[in-house]
Amino acid sequence: MTMEMIVPLGGMLLFLTMSLVLFQGKGAILIAGYNTLSAEEKAKYDEAALCKATGKLMFGITFSMALIFVGEFFQQDWLLIVGIILMIAIIMGGIIHMNTGNRYAVQQSEKENKKETGQQ
């Protein structure tokens, strides 16, 4: 294996690992912006749902990275182009989806349950 193959495969493995961690509802520290919020601000969001959505987004990015790699490896320009277009579409769609509709806000009843049980 040459270095030209090891670096992209290592990147895909790293993305796949982070995707799996996030998809399990853990690893919120990996989400940019969320990890800098105060405890009061973090309480307004459903951390597990946010992590799962970010994990799904990263799975899609990992898949498109794999398409780009395979297209480059086998010198198939159409596969490379499909991978690039898919990555752009996934990122743009994910950003729009995650930032609209207040999808990850904790419902009022969930907030009350957390206060009663002493969870954050």
Side-chain angles (χ1 to χ4, degrees):
M1 281 179 122
T2 65
M3 191 61 103
E4 294 173 352
M5 293 174 62
I6 292 173
V7 172
L9 288 174
M12 284 188 284
L13 184 63
L14 179 65
F15 263 63
L16 183 62
T17 303
M18 291 189 311
S19 300
L20 290 170
V21 169
L22 287 165
F23 191 70
Q24 293 175 358
K26 305 196 181 325
I29 195 165
L30 298 172
I31 302 173
Y34 181 76
N35 61 357
T36 61
L37 293 176
S38 66
E40 296 87 28
E41 287 293 316
K42 284 183 181 181
K44 295 178 183 177
Y45 296 97
D46 183 357
E47 187 174 297
L50 186 61
C51 286
K52 286 182 181 185
T54 306
K56 289 176 188 177
L57 178 68
M58 288 192 65
F59 275 130
I61 293 170
T62 305
F63 177 72
S64 61
M65 287 171 66
L67 285 179
I68 293 169
F69 176 76
V70 170
E72 185 69 29
F73 183 74
F74 291 111
Q75 297 179 351
Q76 296 292 318
D77 289 339
W78 69 271
L79 204 53
L80 184 82
I81 292 168
V82 168
I84 292 170
I85 292 171
L86 184 62
M87 184 179 289
I88 292 169
I90 288 171
I91 291 171
M92 289 177 64
I95 290 171
I96 292 168
H97 174 76
M98 294 176 92
N99 288 306
T100 58
N102 215 14
R103 290 176 176 84
Y104 306 105
V106 174
Q107 302 299 323
Q108 189 64 27
S109 60
E110 290 178 29
K111 284 183 188 178
E112 291 170 2
N113 289 339
K114 286 183 178 183
K115 285 181 183 177
E116 290 173 5
T117 60
Q119 296 177 349
Q120 288 207 4

